[in-house]
Amino acid sequence: MKLMDVVIPTGVISPGTLIGEAFRECVKHGVGGLPFVNAEGEIIGRFSLRHTFKSLCLPQDLSRHAHLLGDKICSESTPEVVNGDILELAVDPFIITAHIATVTPHSPVIKALSIMEKFNSGYIFLLDDERYVGVVTRMAVANLLLKYHKF
Amino acid sequence: MIAEPAAELTLDMLIALAVMLAAYVLIFSEVLHRTSAAIIGSVVMIGVGTAAGFYSQDMAIQAIDGNTILLLTAMMMVVAMLRPTGAFEYVAIVLSKASRGDSRLLLIYLSLAVSIISMFLDNVTTVIIFAPITVLIARIIEINPMPFLMAEAMLSNIGGASTLVGDPPNIMIGTAGGIDFTRFIIHMGPTILLVWFCTVMLILFLFRHHLPRVEKPVDLDEKRAIHDRAGLKRSLFALAVIIVLFFVHHILGIYPAYAAFVGLCIVLLLEHPEPGALFGQVNWSVLAFFVGLFIIVGGVEKSGLLHWVGLQLVDLARDPEALLLTGLAVMWCAALLSAIVDNIPFTVTIIPIVLGLEAMGVNITPLWWALAIGVGLGGNGTHIGATANLIAIAESERCGIRGAAISPMAWMKVGIPTMFFSLIVASVIYTFFFSTFL
C-alpha cells in the first residue's frame, strides 16, 4: 500500500479566502482540512473545519458539558452560524500555524496514521519534494484497505 | 555552629533576609514561575545558611510543615476521585433550576454551594469546576455570567476562611497554633457566616442592574451529569469519613493530615483508581512551592531575624490593653497585603513571628484568628489576591460572551468595597466579642 494510492488532490487556501469557499472545497473532497499557503505557495498553516467551528461557535464551557445540553439552546446562542454570516468571513484569523504535520509519497501508511493519532487529526498533508500533492485521510486509508483486500 | 537569637541585627540575619527578599521578588514579579523561584530560593538559603553557619540541611527538612503538605496531598487525591463523577455539575444544574428564573436567587444558590464545598475542599478546585458550568447556565438563560463568576470566587475565598482545611493558610495557622478543626470552626464559623451574609447582600446590591428576571429555562439535564453513580457514593462516603474525622481528630489524637489519609485509603480500596488518574491530578507544583517557602522561612527563622522582629513588637503585643489593637492591626495588614501579593508567603513568614511572641509571654491566640480572617478576606480585594479570582477571570475572558470579561479594574470596582466591607464587619465582631477570641 502506498500513500500515493490514497491521496486526495485538493485546492489550497490562501490569505483572504472566505470561510464559505474553504468549506466548499472541504465538502467537495470530503476532507477535514486544507493547507494554507502564502504568495510563494509555501504551506504556512492549515485550515481546519473542526478548529473553525470551535473558534466560531463552540466555547469551552459548551463543549465540555456537551452531554448535558438539551435541544433548545444551540440555534439561539449562535445566530451568526445559523444565518450564515460566518461564511462571509475571511479564513485568516482561524488558521492553525502550529504542528503542520506532513508525509511524503515514500512514507509508510502506518506513519501517516501515527502522525494523525499524535495530533488528534483525521487528515494529513502529502508533499512530494516540498510540492503539495493532496490530503491523506483515515477514511481514505480504510477505503484502500477494503479495496486492497477485496473485502 | 548555630547562632543564638540576638537582640541586635546580625550579618546572618541580613544574609537570610536578602535571600528571602530575592526569592519573594522572583515569586511576586513572576519573572520565574513561583514554584521555580521557591525551589531556587530554598536551595540558595540552605547553601548560604550552611556556609554562614546559621542553617543546615537537617534544619531545612525540619522546617517543612509535614501536616500541611500531607493534608493538601491527600485532599487533592480525594478531589481527583470526586471530580470526574460529575457531582459538582449536578449540584449546579439542580440549583439553577431551583432558582426558577430569579437570577438573584441563582447567584445566592451557586455562591452558597461553592462556599460550603470550599469549607472542606480546595476552593481553587471548586471554582475551576463551577466556573465553566456557571458560564454555560448563564449562556443558556442569556444573562451576563460576570456577577456569578465574581461572587463564586469571592465567596469561595470567604467560605474557605471558616475552616481549618478550607484554605492553605488556615492549615498552616492551625498546625502552628495547635488549633484543632472544631475549635477553628467554632471561632471562625460565626464570624465568617455573618461576613458571608453581608458580602452576598453587598454583591447583590453592586450587581443589581445585572441580575434580571429571566424567562428562558435552564435546558440542561442534571441526570446526565453523574457519570458513575456507584463511584460517586463511594467517594462521598470517604469524604464524609474525612469530615467526621476532622471534627474529632483532636480527641483521637491524630493530625488532620492523617484523617485525610484515612479517607483516601477508603477511596483507594473501594475505587482501585488508575495511578495516572490519581497522581496526575495532584497539584505537585503547589506542594513544591509550599515546601520551598517553608525552607526559605526556616532559614530566616534560624538566622534569628524573626526573633528580632518579634522583640520589636513584643512591648506592644504584651500589653493586654493593646492586644485588641494588635489583633486588628494584624487582621488589616494581613488583608491589605493579601490583596496585593500571594497570601501564602506572607502567612508562612508571619507564623514564626507570632510563635516568637508566644515565647516572650504574649497571649497570641487572638492573633491567630485575626491572621486567619485577614488572609482569608484580603484575597477578594484585587484580581491577583487569590488564585480563585484568576480562575474566574480566565473563564470570563474565555467564554466570549459580550460584557462578561472581567478586567482588573472591573474586579477592583467590586472587590475593594467587598473586601473593606467584609473586614469592617469582621472587625466589629472581633472587637465586640474579643473575649471569645482569647
Side-chain angles (χ1 to χ4, degrees):
Chain A
M1 285 200 296
K2 291 176 187 166
L3 287 179
M4 283 302 272
D5 297 335
V6 297
V7 70
I8 303 166
T10 70
V12 294
I13 303 295
S14 51
T17 305
L18 299 182
I19 286 179
E21 293 167 339
F23 275 13
R24 187 177 294 127
E25 187 68 9
C26 287
V27 170
K28 185 177 162 189
H29 299 288
V31 296
L34 295 166
F36 181 76
V37 300
N38 60 17
E40 288 74 42
E42 180 191 359
I43 297 180
I44 54 169
R46 67 185 167 101
F47 171 81
S48 154
L49 285 179
R50 179 182 167 182
H51 180 73
T52 306
F53 279 126
K54 194 174 160 184
S55 305
L56 284 167
C57 56
L58 288 177
Q60 214 176 57
D61 60 281
L62 208 60
S63 55
R64 189 187 294 180
H65 301 105
H67 60 294
L68 305 175
L69 298 177
D71 295 329
K72 298 172 191 160
I73 65 146
C74 297
S75 57
E76 287 136 16
S77 57
T78 53
E80 66 281 8
V81 177
V82 175
N83 64 25
D85 286 354
I86 62 164
L87 300 176
E88 301 293 335
L89 300 172
V91 295
D92 304 46
F94 308 103
I95 296 300
I96 305 169
T97 52
H99 303 305
I100 310 163
T102 58
V103 285
T104 70
H106 311 294
S107 303
V109 172
I110 193 70
K111 179 179 175 182
L113 288 172
S114 301
I115 294 174
M116 283 188 245
E117 186 62 34
K118 179 177 168 67
F119 293 114
N120 193 23
S121 171
Y123 60 90
I124 189 167
F125 303 136
L126 191 144
L127 272 64
D128 187 7
D129 199 19
E130 301 298 313
R131 186 181 55 86
Y132 174 67
V133 179
V135 180
V136 175
T137 65
R138 275 204 194 91
M139 199 70 80
V141 173
N143 191 25
L144 182 73
L145 267 173
L146 292 171
K147 281 184 183 167
Y148 189 79
H149 295 288
K150 298 189 175 64
F151 188 81
Chain B
M1 195 178 75
I2 305 304
E4 287 296 314
E8 300 295 326
L9 272 176
T10 64
L11 182 63
D12 289 349
M13 293 179 195
L14 295 175
I15 291 170
L17 179 65
V19 174
M20 184 180 74
L21 287 180
Y24 282 12
V25 166
L26 282 179
I27 290 168
F28 297 135
S29 64
E30 296 179 359
V31 172
L32 284 176
H33 186 271
R34 63 178 189 165
T35 304
S36 306
I39 290 172
I40 293 167
S42 61
V43 170
V44 172
M45 182 65 85
I46 294 171
V48 170
T50 305
F54 67 82
Y55 206 33
S56 68
Q57 296 171 71
D58 291 335
M59 287 176 178
I61 290 168
Q62 285 164 11
I64 299 166
D65 178 355
N67 181 51
T68 299
I69 300 298
L70 292 172
L71 176 56
L72 288 170
T73 308
M75 292 308 286
M76 284 176 187
M77 289 187 188
V78 172
V79 171
M81 291 292 94
L82 195 56
R83 190 175 167 177
T85 62
F88 298 110
E89 286 86 353
Y90 178 87
V91 170
I93 297 170
V94 168
L95 291 177
S96 64
K97 288 185 176 175
S99 67
R100 296 174 187 276
D102 186 338
S103 53
R104 289 170 303 174
L105 263 186
L106 177 61
L107 185 140
I108 294 171
Y109 287 165
L110 289 176
S111 302
L112 182 62
V114 168
S115 301
I116 292 172
I117 294 169
S118 297
M119 288 170 68
F120 302 101
L121 303 179
D122 173 31
N123 55 2
V124 174
T125 308
T126 311
V127 175
I128 284 176
I129 297 166
F130 265 79
I133 190 75
T134 300
V135 168
L136 181 61
I137 290 166
R139 188 188 296 281
I140 289 171
I141 60 176
E142 296 184 355
I143 55 174
N144 190 340
M146 181 175 75
F148 301 89
L149 292 172
M150 288 183 73
E152 284 176 4
M154 288 182 186
L155 293 163
S156 84
N157 293 334
I158 292 175
S162 64
T163 67
L164 182 77
V165 297
D167 212 8
N170 292 2
I171 304 172
M172 294 168 190
I173 291 167
T175 308
I179 302 166
D180 60 67
F181 185 90
T182 310
R183 192 173 155 218
F184 200 100
I185 202 167
I186 286 172
H187 281 82
M188 292 288 285
T191 308
I192 294 300
L193 183 66
L194 200 59
V195 166
W196 188 92
F197 182 76
C198 293
T199 305
V200 169
M201 290 297 124
L202 181 67
I203 290 174
L204 286 175
F205 174 75
L206 292 172
F207 284 117
R208 61 193 180 282
H209 301 305
H210 290 77
L211 299 169
R213 172 113 207 134
V214 288
E215 301 302 326
K216 283 193 166 290
V218 180
D219 190 20
L220 294 170
D221 186 354
E222 68 273 15
K223 294 189 199 80
R224 292 187 205 156
I226 306 292
H227 299 297
D228 176 7
R229 201 169 289 274
L232 171 62
K233 284 178 184 170
R234 290 191 288 265
S235 297
L236 285 178
F237 171 66
L239 184 62
V241 169
I242 292 173
I243 292 171
V244 169
L245 285 177
F246 279 157
F247 276 102
V248 294
H249 76 90
H250 58 293
I251 299 169
L252 300 175
I254 59 173
Y255 281 108
Y258 186 75
F261 268 95
V262 170
L264 176 62
C265 286
I266 292 172
V267 182
L268 296 178
L269 286 168
L270 297 178
E271 286 289 296
H272 301 287
E274 288 289 321
L278 183 65
F279 299 111
Q281 293 297 314
V282 174
N283 196 337
W284 300 109
S285 167
V286 167
L287 298 176
F289 174 60
F290 288 174
V291 168
L293 285 180
F294 286 134
I295 292 174
I296 292 169
V297 174
V300 179
E301 189 185 358
K302 291 297 177 189
S303 76
L305 179 64
L306 299 182
H307 178 82
W308 180 84
V309 173
L311 283 175
Q312 314 311 306
L313 300 173
V314 69
D315 288 338
L316 176 67
R318 195 182 276 152
D319 179 5
E321 302 273 316
L323 193 57
L324 170 62
L325 281 178
T326 309
L328 288 172
V330 167
M331 186 194 298
W332 281 77
C333 286
L336 295 175
L337 276 169
S338 298
I340 305 164
V341 295
D342 191 339
N343 60 9
I344 305 289
F346 173 75
T347 309
V348 176
T349 313
I350 199 109
I351 280 174
I353 297 175
V354 176
L355 283 174
L357 290 175
E358 185 179 37
M360 295 171 205
V362 176
N363 176 13
I364 57 167
T365 309
L367 303 186
W368 290 134
W369 306 123
L371 180 61
I373 293 169
V375 294
L377 303 184
N380 283 339
T382 64
H383 63 297
I384 54 167
T387 313
N389 306 357
L390 295 171
I391 305 291
I393 288 174
E395 196 61 42
S396 77
E397 289 168 347
R398 191 165 38 222
C399 72
I401 297 174
R402 192 173 299 155
I406 306 168
S407 66
M409 279 310 292
W411 183 283
M412 285 191 277
K413 213 170 150 186
V414 176
I416 289 176
T418 304
M419 181 189 77
F420 278 108
F421 185 61
S422 60
L423 275 173
I424 289 167
V425 172
S427 299
V428 169
I429 299 168
Y430 188 80
T431 305
F432 278 101
F433 299 96
F434 187 62
S435 59
T436 64
F437 291 101
L438 289 171

